[in-house]
Amino acid sequence: MNIPSLKNQVSAEEWQLRVDLAACYRLVAAYGWSDLVFTHISAKLPHSVAGDEHQFLINPYGLMFDEITASSLVKVDMQCNKLHDSPFPVNPAGFVIHSAVHEARPEAGCVLHTHTRAGIAVSAQKTGILPISQQSTFVLSSLAYHDYEGVAIRDDEKARLQADLGKANYLVLRNHGLLTVGRGIAEAFLSMYTFENTCRIQVDALAGGLDLVQVDPNILNGVAHAMKVQTGGIGGAFVWPSLLRKLERLDPSYKD
């Protein structure tokens, strides 16, 4: 690809956000969570860059996640208008879901959505997420569900999705996939790592056909404190530098 660099055309803050978001796309590809070109990760531009306007970065529709670079990311407003020249379109379904979440949750710096095999499998189970693993306890502490309404291309679904999400940071989109909300990119990624593993563990456990031991409900009450201790109080930022070092070894071209 020959995509002109935007490094000298945007602010230093926007460029860093672009680099981090491109890294997140590459990591999602590396962990096998991508669905060709059909899922999305969005990052909200900070007030220092966008002012009072609601602007965010999203993937260029048509590129595989392991092709996405900082310069190829598309900046759009709440009406899905591109705010800079880009040869790439934006997926309407991706915009409906992500703009709905960003609108309802102004503190959301990043929204990450996947269509993984395990995530969709659990989203189709009536019981939803079961308290059968340590990972599941973190998810259950802030979990919501949204029923499937078909491909998300209708604006009227946004209000229902927002109401279902509420203040939760983990959302099961029934018959569809998973979504996480984070204050930043690192937090949304770490949450999705936990969410995805929760679903993989559940699928594996149910495949055994045996009775499952469930976590004592009283343990869920202390999960928020346990997570804070585990990550040194800084959430996803605790592991993000190590992930970037891993990505640098694999392919540093995401920073272009």
Side-chain angles (χ1 to χ4, degrees):
M1 295 183 298
N2 184 20
I3 299 173
S5 175
L6 295 179
K7 185 173 184 179
N8 296 321
Q9 300 180 40
V10 299
S11 68
E13 288 174 285
E14 179 176 334
W15 181 250
Q16 186 59 56
L17 190 68
R18 285 176 169 274
V19 170
D20 286 341
L21 184 56
C24 192
Y25 273 102
R26 297 295 186 96
L27 287 166
V28 165
Y31 278 93
W33 304 343
S34 61
D35 181 20
L36 296 179
V37 301
F38 298 111
T39 56
H40 316 280
I41 315 166
S42 59
K44 182 180 179 180
L45 290 161
H47 186 272
S48 58
V49 174
D52 293 331
E53 295 183 26
H54 198 117
Q55 302 175 356
F56 56 95
L57 302 173
I58 200 165
N59 52 311
Y61 194 39
L63 290 188
M64 303 287 278
F65 282 19
D66 61 1
E67 297 180 297
I68 290 175
T69 63
S71 294
S72 69
L73 291 163
V74 184
K75 181 165 62 173
V76 298
D77 62 17
M78 283 299 292
Q79 289 71 47
C80 202
N81 298 309
K82 291 191 287 187
L83 300 178
H84 64 98
D85 290 335
S86 172
F88 302 102
V90 176
N91 183 357
F95 179 76
V96 167
I97 293 172
H98 287 251
S99 63
V101 177
H102 283 289
E103 182 180 47
R105 299 283 295 276
E107 83 285 3
C110 182
V111 178
L112 202 168
H113 172 41
T114 62
H115 296 162
T116 63
R117 181 172 175 174
I120 296 172
V122 172
S123 79
Q125 296 172 359
K126 286 187 178 181
T127 56
I129 300 294
L130 297 172
I132 58 171
S133 66
Q134 179 168 271
Q135 288 82 353
S136 72
T137 64
F138 296 122
V139 173
L140 288 165
S141 68
S142 187
L143 178 64
Y145 295 86
H146 176 64
D147 287 339
Y148 188 61
E149 299 188 23
V151 177
I153 58 175
R154 302 186 316 278
D155 280 340
D156 65 281
E157 184 179 355
K158 292 171 68 171
R160 292 184 292 276
L161 189 151
Q162 291 169 339
D164 288 338
L165 175 64
K167 295 298 182 181
N169 294 322
Y170 298 89
L171 180 67
V172 172
L173 296 158
R174 291 288 194 183
N175 310 102
H176 184 171
L178 309 177
L179 183 146
T180 58
V181 179
R183 289 169 295 180
I185 293 168
E187 186 170 281
F189 180 87
L190 180 59
S191 293
M192 185 57 74
Y193 182 87
T194 305
F195 210 178
E196 173 66 15
N197 277 341
T198 293
C199 292
R200 291 188 180 194
I201 291 166
Q202 182 163 320
V203 169
D204 288 347
L206 290 173
L210 301 174
D211 290 338
L212 303 179
V213 176
Q214 297 200 3
V215 175
D216 186 330
N218 293 323
I219 293 176
L220 296 176
N221 297 330
V223 166
H225 175 70
M227 189 63 175
K228 185 175 181 180
V229 171
Q230 189 176 22
T231 63
I234 58 175
F238 182 79
V239 72
W240 191 246
S242 295
L243 289 169
L244 293 184
R245 288 194 293 271
K246 175 180 179 179
L247 190 57
E248 285 281 344
R249 296 192 296 270
L250 292 172
D251 182 3
S253 65
Y254 71 92
K255 297 185 292 185
D256 293 341

